[in-house]
Amino acid sequence: MGNRSDENNPSLMRPTMFQENLRMGSGKFVAEVGHNRRALSTINRNIVGAVPLPCAIKKRGLSENHGICDKNPSVVHRPITRKFATQISNENQPCQVETKKPVHNSSILIEKVSNKKVIVDVDEYRADSSFSNPMFVKHTEAILDEVEIFEDIDLMEEEVEMEDIVEEPILDIDSCDSKNTLAVVDYIDDIYAHYKKTENSSCVSPNYMVQQSDINEKMRAILVDWLIEVHYKFELMDETLFLMVNIIDRFLARQTVERKKLQLVGITAMLLACKYEEVSVPVVDDLILISDKAYTRKEVLAMEKLIVNTLQFNMSVPTSYVFMKRFLKAAQSDKKLELLSFFLIELSLVEYDMLRFPPSLLAAAAIYTAQCTLNRTRHWSKTTEWHTSYSEDQLQDCSKLMVTFHHKAATGKLTGVHRKYSMYKFGCAAKSQPAQFLLDTHI
């Protein structure tokens, strides 16, 4: 104990102990210890031998007025504690300390360089023009600039979207029937492409009555209006009605008929259509009875043979009905729209002038006119236009005629269709107000 070193006695500390080992530069000092390692090792061998942690230290006890950063530092009167001795014991890992004036509410930048940490005042760091911005600061500023640019771009795009008209998408009308094998979703487009391609084979000349010497357009209209009522009385399918009228027109376009045989042509065409479409077919005697026994069974069968030979047994033709079902699906129709559409197209069956329109156009125009009637405004969606292949412009002539037929349906001489669709069973579709605005305005 008598040989205890005076170096650990703070009262014997001399001003020249650290002065030779203090090196000043740019507000930093480095404390290096040379010949004092022996004395420090006697304090705590484990602390002296441990690897010091790189750090930045600012102790108030070092200097009250931060005089340690002056060119002529004053004497440091501080006891050498174990912690302080550990920090100055390793001369291979000097600790750089930068003292600075107290800064209130100032951001501090900590930069890690080669296992060292240096505390830097951001304001002083930026004020010094000899140093460029740290890399991560530049990166952060660049990101902020990019964010501002993207925000400006987003605002511009939103303004453009508001100015532009949003294009209506074309819906997949068959997605709901993907698991319905009867809907034949895989082939439905091909089927209707075939119908559209072959529909001309079911069309007749719009002036075929010229070759008829004993009948005219009015007689045809009377016959069809009566057959629509008979069709309803027998509770037959809609397909049967449209095929029946098609058979009549195709036969009359190729064969001259006497006036007294015109009704016979009508009931025989109904018989053929029932055989093609219906499960339960009316017997011949029922047809004779409905015609007030104007014809015999033999005459009916003879006319049946004449018709099928004239038409070469071609009964598989696309009518307006097959297009109506597809187009109504594309229009996402409800029951009200469906009934009104069929009311309009059955009115068109009676009219001879409508023979100039192909079946697909008649179906599309009926649905378009019904939509306008119910909505009281023009409506033709992109989906419906896509599946019908008809634009709104192409439907105008046919639609205007349908509005005219609707307007006079209740007051004309032929009221069979109007009476049918005035019933509750058919949603009183005939009582809807006609879309007169289609006649008064242009697109």
Side-chain angles (χ1 to χ4, degrees), residues 284-342:
V284 177
D285 292 339
D286 291 338
L287 297 175
I288 293 173
L289 184 63
I290 203 71
S291 63
D292 199 18
K293 298 181 180 180
Y295 310 102
T296 64
R297 178 183 177 87
K298 183 178 180 179
E299 288 178 314
V300 173
L301 297 178
M303 181 59 70
E304 180 183 25
K305 183 179 179 180
L306 178 62
I307 291 176
V308 295
N309 285 323
T310 303
L311 301 182
Q312 299 178 351
F313 290 83
N314 182 17
M315 302 294 168
S316 300
V317 293
T319 63
S320 297
Y321 176 81
V322 297
F323 293 107
M324 283 285 289
K325 300 302 290 184
R326 182 65 173 172
F327 297 168
L328 283 169
K329 187 177 182 180
Q332 298 179 313
S333 69
D334 53 11
K335 193 65 177 177
K336 192 172 184 179
L337 175 61
E338 180 180 349
L339 291 172
L340 183 56
S341 299
F342 272 102

Side-chain angles (χ1 to χ4, degrees), residues 4-14 17 80:
R4 185 174 59 183
S5 174
D6 295 333
E7 294 178 2
N8 291 326
N9 191 345
S11 63
L12 298 177
M13 199 169 202
R14 295 177 175 85
M17 180 178 291
I80 302 179

Side-chain angles (χ1 to χ4, degrees), residues 342-355:
F342 272 102
F343 167 63
L344 293 173
I345 202 166
E346 287 187 23
L347 287 176
S348 301
L349 289 178
V350 179
E351 301 295 333
Y352 175 78
D353 291 340
M354 302 302 280
L355 292 176

Side-chain angles (χ1 to χ4, degrees), residues 255-298:
Q255 184 73 36
T256 57
V257 178
E258 296 178 359
R259 181 180 305 180
K260 62 180 181 179
K261 297 289 184 179
L262 183 59
Q263 190 178 17
L264 176 62
V265 172
I267 60 174
T268 306
M270 176 176 286
L271 178 63
L272 288 170
C274 289
K275 289 181 177 181
Y276 190 84
E277 298 286 1
E278 300 288 340
V279 176
S280 179
V281 180
V283 297
V284 177
D285 292 339
D286 291 338
L287 297 175
I288 293 173
L289 184 63
I290 203 71
S291 63
D292 199 18
K293 298 181 180 180
Y295 310 102
T296 64
R297 178 183 177 87
K298 183 178 180 179

